[in-house]
Amino acid sequence: MSPAVQAVVAALPILLSGVLLIGLRIPARRAMPMAYGITVLIALLVWQMAFLQVLAASIKGLVITFNLLLIIFGAILLLKTLEQSGAVASMRSSFAQISNDRRVQVVIVAWLFGSFIEGAAGFGTPAAIVAPLLVTLRFPAAAAVMIGLMIQSTAVTFGAVGTPILIGVGDGLPKDGFSEQLAAAGITMSQYLHAVSIRAALLHAIVGTTIPLLMVVMMTRFFGANKSWREGLSITPFALFGGLAFTIPYALAAIFLGPEFPSLVGSGFGLLIVVTAARSGFLLPDDHWDFSDMETWPQDWLGSTPDGQCLSDGLEQKRQSLSVPMAWLPYVLVAGLLVLTRIRTLPLRHWLQTVQVSWTNVLGTEITASTQPLYLPGSILIAVAILTYFLHSMQPRQFLRATIDASRTLLAAGFVLVFTVPMVQILINSGVNEGKLPGMPVAMATWVSQQVGWIWPLFAPTIGALGAFIAGSNTISNLMFTAFQYNIARHLDLSTTMIIALQAVGAAAGNMIAIHNVVAASATVGLLGREGIILRKTILPTLYYVIVVGLLGFVATQVLRIPGPFDTLF
């Protein structure tokens, strides 16, 4: 089978998913079982994977699904608990004190607070937390999901305290001879990863600075009464200021501190600077923007709980009066605990990771499925929700209602994810087969690289985005394609650190369209079944990101001929 045929056949599950979800607008609960079935058939009949290999990959996918569902459940449980306690009303009033302009709230809540959550936890957590939070602030559910997914871009490469670089790139680099080359050159792995981090951060800083502005203009265009780009553009100075308040300390942290802290440092400084500026009216426009009255919103903007009730209904039910600091305390605790449990030098991380359920060599294959339930962000969210019960002096019936509502949403999301994530794992593990074929993602990437040659930097981010679209993870995309990108860079005599940085940045952008990220975020606000509509919108910032980053990479490697600091040594 020729490389071209391999690439086309390997792409069929992805193409089918896109056609069904985006083209035909078929709900994911119907589209993803079909895509999973096609993937199984291709794996067995074309790739000649052993049945047990396919089954083992699916089992691993189910374990990962458990992890995702725990995050979804925790995020919804905390939100519902805050609704029942009356904290939601106090949160709204706190933003009214800063600014009741929705564009300002997007910059602060989504771009900066969401990026902080990404820096601490990663793995789709920001959208699962921020999307329902925006709904409580009276954003349409569809707008909240779109914005929540756009968070998962600039901050993602250094999300989960640097996991996509430290684990994704670090473990994805070539195994044969690479360590020896580093040692012979007197270079450590941490130095090489630091070089990749600097390049990735600078690329992100250039492209990502405009993301908060893009969030705003897409919100005013798609969800404003006047469907206007101009109403979003009128806040350009403040939105760009919010972008720079994040990206400047973000880039400096990558240069001076390494891959663990850029997203945390950038968002932390950004929140302090931008909230202060918004309170004083700095760079804010004279006009004010808000959504139209909720009664005029189209039905497809609104999320529904499984019992059919509009998710936005009942948010005014204030059970008791809470101070603003007490209302926000649960989210402060979430952010703090996520940071404390992700710092490698603190014992808390190790204690939580000691509880692990693992199945090594599933069904006799080389696949290992494992979970660390206490270490997952979902467990922290659940713990904080339980703590909120006591902090807010709630009644048992209130917490019971919150738990029931969260469980109903969980069941709806679970059906979609039990097909989506196993499909992804079959694609990732398809390199082990009787047909001696490369894994399906590698087959697609290899064919593309053979067609484009020396202009590869233009396409390197797209490969990273493809990996994230398939796997729903920057880390997994880097694990799949870092060695591939490194070998292409060596073959074309390009900077390996720059090409790998392009891979990492593209993989971050791909999170905005990753299917199971879309499903998970949609589930938190009751939008299951409308994933294709969301993807039609989030594909726009994804294309912007990979195209501009690709152009920057091409200029850096082919025009400016910027080498990596270690690339000339081997």
Side-chain angles (χ1 to χ4, degrees):
M1 187 164 48
S2 69
V5 175
Q6 290 179 27
V8 171
V9 175
L12 284 178
I14 299 171
L15 294 173
L16 177 64
S17 301
V19 169
L20 294 177
L21 290 170
I22 302 174
L24 301 179
R25 301 190 182 189
I26 293 176
R29 66 177 180 272
R30 292 165 52 196
M32 297 320 298
M34 288 188 277
Y36 174 78
I38 291 294
T39 305
V40 170
L41 290 175
I42 292 172
L44 293 174
L45 302 179
V46 181
W47 251 252
Q48 298 180 38
M49 290 175 65
F51 175 76
L52 290 180
Q53 179 79 5
V54 174
L55 185 58
S58 298
I59 291 172
K60 181 173 182 177
L62 292 175
V63 173
I64 296 173
T65 299
F66 165 79
N67 297 342
L68 291 171
L69 290 176
L70 194 65
I71 293 173
I72 294 171
F73 178 75
I76 301 172
L77 178 64
L78 179 57
L79 170 65
K80 294 295 183 181
T81 301
L82 294 174
E83 285 181 19
Q84 294 291 325
S85 75
V88 165
S90 296
M91 287 178 181
R92 285 207 201 96
S93 69
S94 72
F95 278 106
Q97 294 170 13
I98 299 173
S99 173
N100 56 8
D101 191 314
R102 301 301 187 170
R103 300 167 300 181
V104 176
Q105 293 175 0
V106 165
V107 176
I108 294 173
V109 180
W111 170 245
L112 294 171
F113 179 68
S115 293
F116 184 86
I117 297 299
E118 174 61 40
F123 298 101
T125 309
I129 291 177
V130 173
L133 178 57
L134 289 176
V135 170
T136 69
L137 299 175
R138 290 186 175 173
F139 280 64
V145 173
M146 179 191 75
I147 294 167
L149 288 167
M150 290 176 69
I151 297 167
Q152 298 179 180
S153 53
T154 309
V156 171
T157 294
F158 304 102
V161 200
T163 297
I165 296 293
L166 296 171
I167 304 300
V169 173
D171 289 353
L173 283 162
K175 301 299 184 288
D176 299 333
F178 181 76
S179 298
E180 290 76 6
Q181 290 174 316
L182 286 180
I187 299 164
T188 66
M189 176 64 81
S190 63
Q191 288 176 312
Y192 189 87
L193 293 179
H194 191 190
V196 173
S197 299
I198 292 171
R199 282 150 180 72
L202 293 175
L203 291 167
H204 271 308
I206 295 171
V207 183
T209 296
T210 59
I211 285 293
L213 177 60
L214 192 55
M215 288 177 174
V216 169
V217 297
M218 288 183 64
M219 176 181 69
T220 61
R221 171 62 181 84
F222 293 118
F223 299 98
N226 299 320
K227 305 294 184 183
S228 170
W229 297 106
R230 182 176 298 177
E231 290 175 344
L233 290 172
S234 69
I235 202 172
T236 296
F238 181 82
L240 292 179
F241 171 72
L244 290 169
F246 173 80
T247 56
I248 290 176
Y250 168 93
L252 291 174
I255 293 169
F256 295 107
L257 300 178
E260 293 92 344
F261 300 107
S263 295
L264 289 171
V265 170
S267 56
F269 274 96
L271 278 168
L272 179 64
I273 295 168
V274 175
V275 169
T276 303
R279 286 184 182 277
S280 65
F282 179 67
L283 293 179
L284 292 181
D286 294 331
D287 64 314
H288 172 272
W289 192 88
D290 199 353
F291 300 105
S292 60
D293 291 338
M294 190 180 297
E295 292 75 16
T296 67
W297 293 355
Q299 189 61 38
D300 61 2
W301 288 13
L302 300 172
S304 299
T305 55
D307 60 7
Q309 191 178 23
C310 173
L311 189 69
S312 297
D313 291 345
L315 294 183
E316 287 298 323
Q317 296 175 3
K318 184 177 179 182
R319 303 295 198 266
Q320 61 188 66
S321 178
L322 285 173
S323 67
V324 170
M326 182 58 72
W328 277 102
L329 181 58
Y331 280 118
V332 174
L333 290 174
V334 168
L337 287 172
L338 286 171
V339 172
L340 291 174
T341 56
R342 267 61 189 168
I343 296 177
R344 290 168 175 78
T345 55
L346 294 181
L348 186 57
R349 174 189 174 99
H350 173 71
W351 294 339
L352 296 178
Q353 287 180 326
T354 55
V355 179
Q356 178 170 309
V357 179
S358 181
W359 186 357
T360 306
N361 303 124
V362 179
L363 302 177
T365 68
E366 295 183 358
I367 296 173
T368 295
S370 64
T371 183
Q372 297 172 326
L374 297 183
Y375 183 67
L376 292 171
S379 296
I380 291 173
L381 289 163
I382 293 170
V384 172
I386 295 171
L387 186 59
T388 301
Y389 170 82
F390 298 100
L391 290 173
H392 291 183
S393 302
M394 295 175 64
Q395 298 296 321
R397 60 181 175 80
Q398 293 175 313
F399 191 76
L400 177 61
R401 179 62 187 174
T403 304
I404 292 172
D405 288 345
S407 300
R408 287 175 174 173
T409 304
L410 185 74
L411 292 174
F415 179 78
V416 177
L417 291 175
V418 296
F419 291 100
T420 303
V421 185
M423 179 194 80
V424 166
Q425 287 302 309
I426 293 173
L427 294 173
I428 292 173
N429 289 280
S430 59
V432 179
N433 57 76
E434 297 293 333
K436 306 298 183 183
L437 298 175
M440 295 186 208
V442 175
M444 288 182 274
T446 299
W447 181 78
V448 173
S449 69
Q450 291 173 348
Q451 307 310 306
V452 301
W454 62 278
I455 62 171
W456 177 250
L458 287 171
F459 293 88
T462 302
I463 297 303
L466 173 65
F469 172 76
I470 296 171
S473 166
N474 189 331
T475 301
I476 300 300
S477 178
N478 290 345
L479 283 169
M480 282 195 293
F481 291 129
T482 292
F484 170 80
Q485 299 270 20
Y486 175 87
N487 289 327
I488 287 180
R490 292 294 305 276
H491 176 72
L492 298 175
D493 197 26
L494 300 174
S495 163
T496 62
T497 51
M498 177 58 77
I499 296 301
I500 293 172
L502 293 171
Q503 153 68 34
V505 174
N511 275 261
M512 292 186 278
I513 55 170
I515 294 176
H516 71 60
N517 283 349
V518 176
V519 172
S522 299
T524 64
V525 298
L527 274 182
L528 285 171
R530 300 176 219 170
E531 296 82 6
I533 298 173
I534 300 298
L535 281 167
R536 282 171 175 255
K537 295 178 174 64
T538 57
I539 190 68
L540 298 177
T542 303
L543 290 173
Y544 155 74
Y545 225 102
V546 297
I547 290 171
V548 176
V549 169
L551 289 170
L552 290 173
F554 179 80
V555 170
T557 57
Q558 299 291 352
V559 179
L560 301 179
R561 299 285 181 179
I562 296 175
F566 314 125
D567 296 325
T568 57
L569 299 177
F570 51 89

